[in-house]
Amino acid sequence: MRCAAHALVLLVGTLTLGAADRPNIVLILADDLGYGDVGFNGSTQIPTPNLDRLAASGIRCAEGYVSSPVCSPSRAGLLTGRNQVEFGYDNNLADAQPGFDPSFAGLPVGERTIADRLREVGYVTGLVGKWHLGDQPQFHPLKRGFDEFWGFLAGGHRYFAAKSGEPEPDIECNYGPAGALTYITDDITDQCIGFIRRHREQPFFLYASYNAPHNPLQARAEDLARFSHIKDKARRTYCAMVARLDFQVGRLLDAVNAAGLAEKTLIVFLSDNGGPADQNASLNAPLNGQKGMLMEGGMRVPFLLSWPGKLSAGQVYSHMVSSLDLTPTFLALADAPAPDSARLSGVNLWPLLTAPQNETPSRSLLWRFTVSAAIRDGDWKLVRLPDRLPMLFNLREDISEQHDLALENMERTKDMLQRLGDWDVRLPHPVSLEGAEWKRLQLNLYDAKYPLTQPTGGEAPKMISEKKTTAGH
Ligand code: CA
């Protein structure tokens, strides 16, 4: 995959834009948002007019993947453009395990982020919101390519200001007072808008890293009131949080327009992993599974790109793309293609998105997450788990992964299993581990049943599990 990716980048190198055309880049990341919980992916329960507006202004990637089904490794892949398991970042961050050096619990300092690379070619870079790539000084975002940081280092955060007796929010800011929280989804947007206004005259990279709708489930009263017809409290709260996120993304889009930057700005929206039905009552329908799994519901996410005047409006791109493709795409647009030595995992999407008649490259995507591994090759996907035969699905015909075709396609199963294994054994050991108890919990997720349809009435269907499950943090 790596060789093919590099060949493609070299091939299209001449198609990159000149320095004068370099866009601002706004990367909006949601956290634990279900594939089926946005209007543009068919939600019947949560209106998302602003995200739908963004989709209508650009390209919706129907098969957009992240490189891990949980937060921290997904962000490591997203920000480096390298499949994070190729540098040992398999696991979510957790307490150090015996024999593991806690100073490695973060994005390895030898890796360069997209912020590092864009800053090097003249972009001003800002992170607002969640980091989750290490809380020790060597991993701090201000040392990983970001000029400005307002946000928090951990994997989650409360939404409201602390009440009397509760610990104060640990929001950091390097360009002014962090201020008191109002509702963090609102506050993140305020900071993003300030960044855009401060830097409207220079090319900028803004990483708008919302923690919504990750738990804790905390919503504003007026948003909850909009969903009072939903009896289930968790689902009602989740819907309110997603609606608030949508409203705030709308404010962010309006700020780009108001600054006169709409035609100078590429906006990308995606979630860091699939929705964890067991934690925040999210819905990934029609996809099977959830966060923490290598079924589609764990890693196929809402995924949009918009740049008015440069990308066609209202298009759907139906071939698979990866969050790993964003770094090579951004670098091509910044007129700074990465050298081979960067060993990026993805491809520059620009020639594919701007000229759909171009032949889509033959490619495979690979995943490894603790006990699980998977490979997608064309329409086919194979999932490997430790306690059962490998599973093979044809995603073109079976988006919900209901029909395991492994035994009926033994040659394909053998071939894909071998390629997955060949890759797997070349990977380095993980640089940190989670507790061993997570392995059983993650495996149990594969024995639960997940709703595959949108609700037609007020209530959303729930996942059904007879075993204890959890998707991780
Ligand atoms: Ca997440």
Side-chain angles (χ1 to χ4, degrees):
M1 184 175 79
R2 187 182 290 160
C3 294
H6 282 164
L8 187 69
V9 170
L10 291 173
L11 178 67
V12 303
T14 55
L15 300 178
T16 56
L17 305 178
D21 299 319
R22 298 188 307 174
N24 305 305
I25 298 170
V26 178
L27 174 61
I28 306 173
L29 193 67
D31 193 353
D32 289 12
L33 175 64
Y35 182 87
D37 285 327
V38 287
F40 64 82
N41 277 348
S43 176
T44 59
Q45 204 165 33
I46 311 175
T48 56
N50 294 291
L51 288 167
D52 296 352
R53 163 163 64 113
L54 183 64
S57 73
I59 296 180
R60 173 172 75 89
C61 295
E63 300 189 359
Y65 291 98
V66 287
S67 58
S68 173
V70 297
C71 305
S72 186
S74 174
R75 289 152 193 268
L78 172 72
L79 289 191
T80 60
R82 297 189 65 207
N83 192 325
Q84 68 284 342
V85 293
E86 299 198 1
F87 51 83
Y89 207 91
D90 294 47
N91 288 277
N92 234 336
L93 292 173
D95 294 337
Q97 296 299 302
F100 280 78
D101 184 342
S103 68
F104 284 83
L107 184 66
V109 294
E111 298 299 321
R112 301 189 72 214
T113 69
I114 183 63
D116 285 318
R117 296 182 191 279
L118 289 173
R119 184 161 70 170
E120 190 174 84
V121 295
Y123 277 66
V124 61
T125 55
L127 162 61
V128 182
K130 168 170 163 175
W131 175 238
H132 205 196
L133 286 171
D135 59 7
Q136 298 175 56
Q138 67 271 32
F139 304 123
H140 195 276
L142 296 178
K143 292 182 179 172
R144 309 311 300 268
F146 289 98
D147 296 308
E148 298 189 3
F149 171 49
W150 184 99
F152 55 95
L153 300 176
H157 207 281
R158 69 170 73 237
Y159 286 75
F160 294 104
K163 296 175 185 168
S164 177
E166 292 180 334
E168 285 299 314
D170 49 355
I171 299 293
E172 297 182 27
C173 180
N174 73 321
Y175 51 82
L181 286 184
T182 57
Y183 183 71
I184 197 168
T185 307
D186 301 8
D187 301 327
I188 286 173
T189 309
D190 289 344
Q191 296 297 326
C192 288
I193 292 171
F195 179 90
I196 291 167
R197 289 177 178 162
R198 280 197 299 283
H199 300 296
R200 57 171 293 175
E201 301 296 338
Q202 57 195 121
F204 60 75
F205 169 61
L206 172 60
Y207 175 30
S209 179
Y210 289 95
N211 55 313
H214 193 292
N215 63 11
L217 289 172
Q218 297 174 347
R220 298 164 79 255
E222 68 185 81
D223 298 317
L224 282 169
R226 293 181 59 195
F227 297 93
S228 58
H229 57 287
I230 297 176
K231 294 190 185 75
D232 182 87
K233 183 180 177 185
R235 179 67 183 171
R236 181 168 70 245
T237 309
Y238 172 85
C239 290
M241 293 166 72
V242 174
R244 191 70 190 174
L245 173 65
D246 176 77
F247 173 76
Q248 294 297 346
V249 169
R251 286 185 61 221
L252 186 51
L253 302 182
D254 291 343
V256 172
N257 293 339
L261 298 175
E263 296 187 352
K264 295 180 180 175
T265 304
L266 170 69
I267 299 179
V268 177
F269 175 86
L270 72 163
S271 178
D272 69 336
N273 49 253
D278 59 347
Q279 293 189 346
N280 69 357
S282 50
L283 182 63
N284 298 301
L287 307 181
N288 193 11
Q290 66 149 50
K291 176 181 180 180
M293 302 173 69
L294 298 183
M295 306 301 277
E296 294 290 282
M299 60 199 195
R300 194 198 289 198
V301 295
F303 201 127
L304 304 173
L305 301 97
S306 171
W307 183 3
K310 292 291 195 301
L311 288 176
S312 299
Q315 301 297 304
V316 178
Y317 187 72
S318 57
H319 302 284
M320 58 182 170
V321 304
S322 167
S323 57
L324 301 173
D325 299 334
L326 294 175
T327 286
T329 305
F330 293 169
L331 291 175
L333 296 176
D335 199 26
D340 283 358
S341 59
R343 295 187 295 160
L344 301 183
S345 303
V347 301
N348 173 13
L349 294 174
W350 203 250
L352 307 174
L353 298 177
T354 51
Q357 70 275 15
N358 284 354
E359 188 175 350
T360 300
S362 172
R363 65 186 305 204
S364 299
L365 293 179
L366 295 151
W367 294 266
R368 186 176 78 179
F369 175 59
T370 70
V371 297
S372 54
I375 175 171
R376 177 155 178 197
D377 185 10
D379 293 342
W380 296 88
K381 188 176 120 191
L382 179 134
V383 180
R384 189 192 72 191
L385 297 171
D387 69 341
R388 63 200 75 185
L389 292 169
M391 298 178 284
L392 181 72
F393 302 101
N394 185 315
L395 295 174
R396 192 65 56 195
E397 298 173 357
D398 180 21
I399 189 175
S400 299
E401 296 176 299
Q402 295 297 290
H403 306 290
D404 177 6
L405 303 174
L407 297 180
E408 297 169 37
N409 294 272
M410 193 57 83
E411 287 307 310
R412 185 183 298 278
T413 299
K414 284 183 187 174
D415 175 66
M416 292 178 76
L417 196 57
Q418 181 173 32
R419 283 193 287 143
L420 183 58
D422 283 346
W423 174 70
D424 190 0
V425 298
R426 289 182 203 152
L427 297 173
H429 290 306
V431 296
S432 67
L433 285 185
E434 296 178 84
E437 69 275 14
W438 289 95
K439 294 188 290 185
R440 180 75 248 172
L441 295 171
Q442 287 160 3
L443 195 54
N444 286 352
L445 290 169
Y446 288 85
D447 295 320
K449 293 202 178 312
Y450 300 87
L452 302 175
T453 58
Q454 289 284 333
T456 53
E459 299 300 310
K462 292 183 179 179
M463 71 175 281
I464 301 169
S465 174
E466 295 175 353
K467 298 179 180 177
K468 184 180 179 187
T469 68
T470 185
H473 31 99

